[in-house]
Amino acid sequence: MKNSPRTIKRGKGAATALLAASALLLSACGAPPAEDAEQDKSANSDYTGCIVSDSGGFDDNSFNESSYEGIQAAEEDLGIDVKQAESAAETDFGPNVNSMVTAGCDLIVTVGFLLSATTKEAATANPDTNFAIVDDNKIDLPNVKPIIYDTAQAAFMAGYLAAGTTETGKVATYGGIQIPTVTIFMDGFADGVEYYNEQKGEDVQLLGWNKEAQTGTFIGDFENTSKGKTNTKNFVNEGADIIMPVAGPVGDGTMDAVEEVNADGKDVKVIWVDSDGYLKVPTGKEFILTSVMKLMGEAVEEVITSDVEGNFSNEPYVGTLDNGGVALAPFHDMEDAVSDEMKSELDQIKADIISGEIAVESEASPK
Amino acid sequence: MSGENTPKTETTTSTSNDVFRRIVSGSGMVSLLAVVLSMILGGVLIALTNDRVEETASYFFTRPTDMLGAAWDAASSAYIALFQGAVFNWDAKSTAQMFRPFTETLTVATPLILAGLGVALAFRAGLFNIGAQGQIILGATFAGWVGFTLDLPVGLHLLVAIVAGFIGGALWAGIAGVLKARTGAHEVIVTIMLNYIAINLVAYLLFTPAFQNPGSANPISPPIKDSAVFPLLLGSGFRLHLGFLIAVAATLAIWWLLNRSTIGFELRAVGANPNAARTAGISVSKGYIVVMLIAGGLAGLAGVAQISGTERVLTGGIAASFGFDAITVALLGRSHPWGVFFAGLLFGAFRAGGVQMQTQTGTPIDIVLVVQSLIVLFIAAPPLVKAVFRIDVKKKRATSPTALTGGAA
């Protein structure tokens, strides 16, 4: 009795092994490449661009990933050498940045305000190495370039669009953690909704964020997808039909919830943040109205390019609607759901924000 | 006295206690072989995930040397980088830079040793203290608050911060100790839950103005004052700080406590057999509380090493994964103070070297975690390791009685 399951198991194991071996055999019969496959390196191969992530890692679907894409683009376009280090925890920041310095990096991109102290220390100790820090504007050193975003500008447009698109008269937003880089989205969104109400004499309500009191709905982290799902369902039950999750990967929970309620006959839309959600989310992209984008990849590549050309400056890079650092994503499948009138109004708002006619203010805006 | 309300749980867990004791006090050979085996498997994984290996595997039968060479290159260069990042870097520009990696290993090992001692001490009293993570966080929070809020003279400030850190960790572990002693609540569950409470507590505190940088809403505390920072042992070029000497002193102290003091004898007696200890007139409940207070205090010191030694600011991630690594360290060190010390050094080397491995060869740092986890796996399954290396089990068994008493003593 004891033996029989064992023999079956062994038989199975042998079969699997045989299968695997034959698969290997088949795939392993290819021809080797020619010996002189070594390609000539382009002119910038002596330049090393480096990047250190925060604890989210380079696969966070958010700012680490976009920044990483930027440095990869620079590798491709400029032919520079690239080194990357992922931080598993905050205690890795110091050692990671330091090992980049010793590895001879010309420019080190550090991602996130959590790396602020580390970056400042390393930059002070190594005045010959240039640094760029994403989402932080606290360092004032000749060799540190802050890369920051006035996200509220694009979020304002999203708020206006949401208020003009809702059929229930209620829209909602929630955040991951109450930190400036999150609340700036929510502030802009709130202002956009209010602006729509002023212009049109409507009374569209915003759930999940009160700009005056700076209080609202937050998950408490950037991981708890199931809480994001529950939150979203609560908003839908309260009558909201457009949701903007500002919580990185937690937004997947919102997508889950929206797919479920829409299958039950509701018509709920999502506004994604950071990157174009239509191109990112695994399922449910047809429910994405638009996205409030921070184009970090472009900014990172731009900073590296100017450093390669010898034009590094410590002037902060501030992503705005004007320079295209922040933007509203295309509507994709929702092209028809947005009226032409709304589209032209959005264009007008964009122009007005750029010209300063409309002032978008947030406590969290870069100063 | 009050320990009398727990005997029921003790008898039912006596068989699991047996397994538990065998795992935490296995032979040193098994520890060593577990490390070797894990490193080999880690090397295989590095080779398998390497792009170049994958490329050359497609024409393995036409020119097998390509793939084998690539696999060897991938694994060996990763481990060489690991060594260069952890012990000695012969490629560095200056002599100081060559020796810096080893000091970095000592620095990273400091919290691991301290927290590992705490876990090991609890092991010896028969308690599975999973709560080092929470205890480190509490220790760091207490020490951090003292560090950035109080204004005290140089020397005294640091001393108060150290004591505060010890108390913070001791209080947190003490909760589990008291609950175990008074109500029989299982320490594994209580300490795990206390970890969550600690993580969320510090996350909450970092949103209160008392713990934030003035004028900033980011969840980072202000940096602690210079007077509360551990002095650097080797000057500003190195991160090695006084905390390492505290870790050495703590190792000595725990060795003395366990082997030379009355309390240590009682703790070991409680760990070896609570029922016998109770019959012999030792208060089991007092033993549980005392051991958890000291264990938590040690983990709290690890928190001090973090905030006063390397990090300087309090954040939600102040404890990294040190609290959980400490469990592995205690297991690998067989719950012996000096065993923990060297296991801590080894894990410190892994962490310090992993950074270099990542930047130099592009090997993901996760591989270090895989190797660490494999070590736990092999330590938990000594027969597996013995089978792999064909160690004669019978011969071992002949000597095992002495080994067992040695482990329990």
Side-chain angles (χ1 to χ4, degrees):
Chain A
M1 251 177 59
K2 224 181 170 185
N3 270 340
S4 54
R6 203 178 260 179
T7 40
I8 290 174
K9 250 189 198 162
R10 195 171 289 165
K12 257 191 190 164
T16 328
L18 205 72
L19 254 171
S22 47
L24 204 73
L25 264 171
L26 280 174
S27 66
C29 290
E35 287 287 350
D36 52 355
E38 197 70 8
Q39 295 203 336
D40 57 328
K41 293 267 159 66
S42 60
N44 296 314
S45 60
D46 58 336
Y47 181 94
T48 312
C50 305
I51 185 162
V52 177
S53 83
D54 84 346
S55 45
F58 293 124
D59 53 355
D60 66 346
N61 263 333
S62 184
F63 67 157
N64 284 303
E65 188 168 333
S66 335
S67 310
Y68 184 57
E69 281 163 5
I71 205 161
Q72 279 180 317
E75 181 180 24
E76 197 134 299
D77 299 343
L78 305 168
I80 60 166
D81 222 17
V82 161
K83 286 186 195 298
Q84 73 269 4
E86 252 183 332
S87 308
E90 278 147 46
T91 46
D92 293 344
F93 295 163
N96 274 343
V97 171
N98 183 66
S99 103
M100 286 305 184
V101 172
T102 30
C105 297
D106 296 277
L107 176 84
I108 302 171
V109 180
T110 53
V111 187
F113 70 88
L114 285 170
L115 277 108
S116 181
T118 313
T119 308
K120 187 172 181 182
E121 203 174 306
T124 316
N126 303 284
D128 295 335
T129 309
N130 287 335
F131 291 81
I133 179 161
V134 177
D135 269 354
D136 179 83
N137 192 19
K138 278 217 288 294
I139 309 174
D140 185 19
L141 288 170
N143 57 335
V144 180
K145 186 177 188 81
I147 300 176
I148 46 180
Y149 297 86
D150 200 350
T151 331
Q153 296 188 348
F156 184 97
M157 291 172 67
Y160 188 88
L161 169 69
T165 313
T166 175
E167 277 153 24
T168 57
K170 282 181 185 167
V171 297
T173 182
Y174 69 87
I177 298 180
Q178 188 161 1
I179 49 176
T181 44
V182 168
T183 54
I184 189 170
F185 279 96
M186 303 164 86
D187 279 347
F189 195 71
D191 279 353
V193 172
E194 201 181 319
Y195 184 74
Y196 181 86
N197 287 342
E198 275 170 24
Q199 296 288 311
K200 307 273 177 180
E202 299 269 347
D203 188 25
V204 175
Q205 282 181 42
L206 173 67
L207 309 177
W209 182 241
N210 181 334
K211 192 190 168 194
E212 276 67 48
Q214 292 280 309
T215 53
T217 310
F218 291 91
I219 300 293
D221 58 48
F222 292 104
E223 281 113 45
N224 196 341
T225 339
S226 60
K227 204 167 166 190
K229 188 172 172 177
T230 321
N231 258 337
T232 305
K233 285 198 160 171
N234 288 344
F235 282 138
V236 172
N237 288 337
E238 286 173 51
D241 69 345
I242 296 179
I243 320 265
M244 179 174 81
V246 193
V250 176
D252 291 343
T254 292
M255 294 312 301
D256 259 12
V258 168
E259 279 183 81
E260 278 179 27
V261 297
N262 283 3
D264 291 343
K266 297 246 187 200
D267 182 21
V268 180
K269 300 180 179 71
V270 176
I271 295 178
W272 199 254
V273 298
D274 282 345
S275 51
D276 188 348
Y278 188 84
L279 310 172
K280 287 266 177 187
V281 298
T283 59
K285 61 181 180 182
E286 62 272 25
F287 304 128
I288 290 186
L289 177 60
T290 184
S291 306
V292 181
M293 297 192 295
K294 282 160 83 172
L295 293 110
M296 287 174 253
E298 282 80 348
V300 167
E301 192 182 358
E302 197 181 307
V303 170
I304 295 174
T305 311
S306 58
D307 190 34
V308 168
E309 289 162 357
N311 299 325
F312 182 86
S313 82
N314 68 344
E315 192 82 5
Y317 169 92
V318 183
T320 58
L321 284 174
D322 194 13
N323 64 13
V326 298
L328 212 54
F331 303 119
H332 298 287
D333 291 355
M334 290 282 179
E335 201 68 50
D336 299 333
V338 183
S339 67
D340 287 340
E341 188 194 344
M342 174 54 90
K343 282 176 193 162
S344 61
E345 281 171 11
L346 283 175
D347 285 340
Q348 186 55 45
I349 287 174
K350 183 176 175 182
D352 285 350
I353 292 177
I354 291 174
S355 71
E357 196 127 323
I358 299 176
V360 184
E361 275 162 5
S362 163
E363 271 182 40
S365 283
K367 272 134 208 150
Chain B
M1 301 171 276
S2 58
E4 259 147 35
N5 48 9
T6 56
K8 203 173 165 201
T9 50
E10 293 311 333
T11 39
T12 47
T13 54
S14 67
T15 43
S16 66
N17 263 358
D18 231 31
V19 177
F20 168 76
R21 197 164 315 121
R22 232 179 304 147
I23 290 174
V24 298
S25 57
S27 95
M29 196 49 146
V30 170
S31 292
L32 193 68
L33 293 179
V35 172
V36 172
L37 203 55
S38 310
M39 299 279 293
I40 294 172
L41 280 175
V44 171
L45 275 177
I46 294 171
L48 280 180
T49 51
N50 185 275
D51 287 342
R52 175 93 187 110
V53 173
E54 212 174 296
E55 230 170 80
T56 49
S58 64
Y59 55 91
F60 180 73
F61 285 102
T62 338
R63 204 197 292 151
T65 47
D66 269 23
M67 186 194 134
L68 296 177
W72 175 253
D73 276 354
S76 63
S77 66
Y79 279 137
I80 288 172
L82 187 75
F83 184 81
Q84 285 187 331
V87 184
F88 183 77
N89 186 356
W90 51 88
D91 289 336
K93 290 177 193 108
S94 64
T95 329
Q97 282 296 320
M98 285 183 193
F99 287 104
R100 191 174 188 281
F102 187 63
T103 68
E104 196 60 13
T105 293
L106 298 183
T107 312
V108 182
T110 303
L112 283 171
I113 294 170
L114 285 165
L117 284 173
V119 177
L121 188 67
F123 276 167
R124 293 295 281 270
L127 292 178
F128 216 134
N129 172 19
I130 308 290
Q133 188 76 4
Q135 293 146 22
I136 295 175
I137 293 176
L138 259 285
T141 309
F142 273 51
W145 185 83
V146 167
F148 56 73
T149 312
L150 300 185
D151 257 321
L152 294 170
V154 181
L156 182 66
H157 198 180
L158 181 59
L159 197 68
V160 173
I162 294 173
V163 172
F166 187 91
I167 292 173
L171 278 179
W172 211 241
I175 298 174
V178 169
L179 286 176
K180 169 86 176 175
R182 300 266 174 235
T183 69
H186 204 290
E187 76 281 359
V188 169
I189 302 189
V190 176
T191 48
I192 288 180
M193 291 306 155
L194 284 172
N195 282 345
Y196 285 113
I197 298 176
I199 290 164
N200 287 305
L201 178 69
V202 77
Y204 166 77
L205 286 175
L206 287 172
F207 279 112
T208 57
F211 277 82
Q212 274 175 343
N213 254 325
S216 154
N218 285 336
I220 300 185
S221 81
I224 58 170
K225 300 190 171 117
D226 286 341
S227 48
V229 172
F230 277 131
L232 294 172
L233 294 179
L234 298 170
S236 63
F238 304 90
R239 295 204 305 163
L240 189 63
H241 53 81
L242 190 69
F244 179 71
L245 296 186
I246 293 184
V248 176
T251 313
L252 275 169
I254 296 303
W255 176 84
W256 181 85
L257 181 87
L258 274 173
N259 298 302
R260 293 284 185 274
S261 73
T262 320
I263 300 177
F265 175 76
E266 291 183 358
L267 293 184
R268 281 183 289 131
V270 169
N273 188 332
N275 295 327
R278 192 175 297 113
T279 313
I282 296 170
S283 168
V284 175
S285 49
K286 185 187 132 203
Y288 284 156
I289 296 177
V290 168
V291 80
M292 283 309 275
L293 284 176
I294 304 176
L298 286 166
L301 287 182
V304 180
Q306 281 297 93
I307 194 149
S308 291
T310 51
E311 305 303 313
R312 314 271 162 93
V313 290
L314 183 67
T315 61
I318 187 76
S321 59
F322 287 132
F324 300 112
D325 294 345
I327 300 170
T328 323
V329 166
L331 284 173
L332 186 62
R334 297 184 301 135
S335 308
H336 186 281
W338 288 105
V340 169
F341 182 82
F342 288 109
L345 284 187
L346 179 72
F347 273 49
F350 276 151
R351 266 180 170 271
V355 172
Q356 175 98 355
M357 183 176 84
Q358 186 176 230
T359 41
Q360 199 165 306
T361 66
T363 311
I365 199 150
D366 300 330
I367 212 85
V368 168
L369 191 67
V370 171
V371 171
Q372 287 181 359
S373 315
L374 285 171
I375 292 176
V376 185
L377 186 78
F378 289 129
I379 287 176
L384 184 64
V385 176
K386 285 176 183 159
V388 168
F389 287 96
R390 312 217 179 269
I391 293 173
D392 194 348
V393 184
K394 269 186 207 140
K395 221 164 105 192
K396 271 269 152 184
R397 201 163 279 166
T399 58
S400 69
T402 48
L404 248 183
T405 43

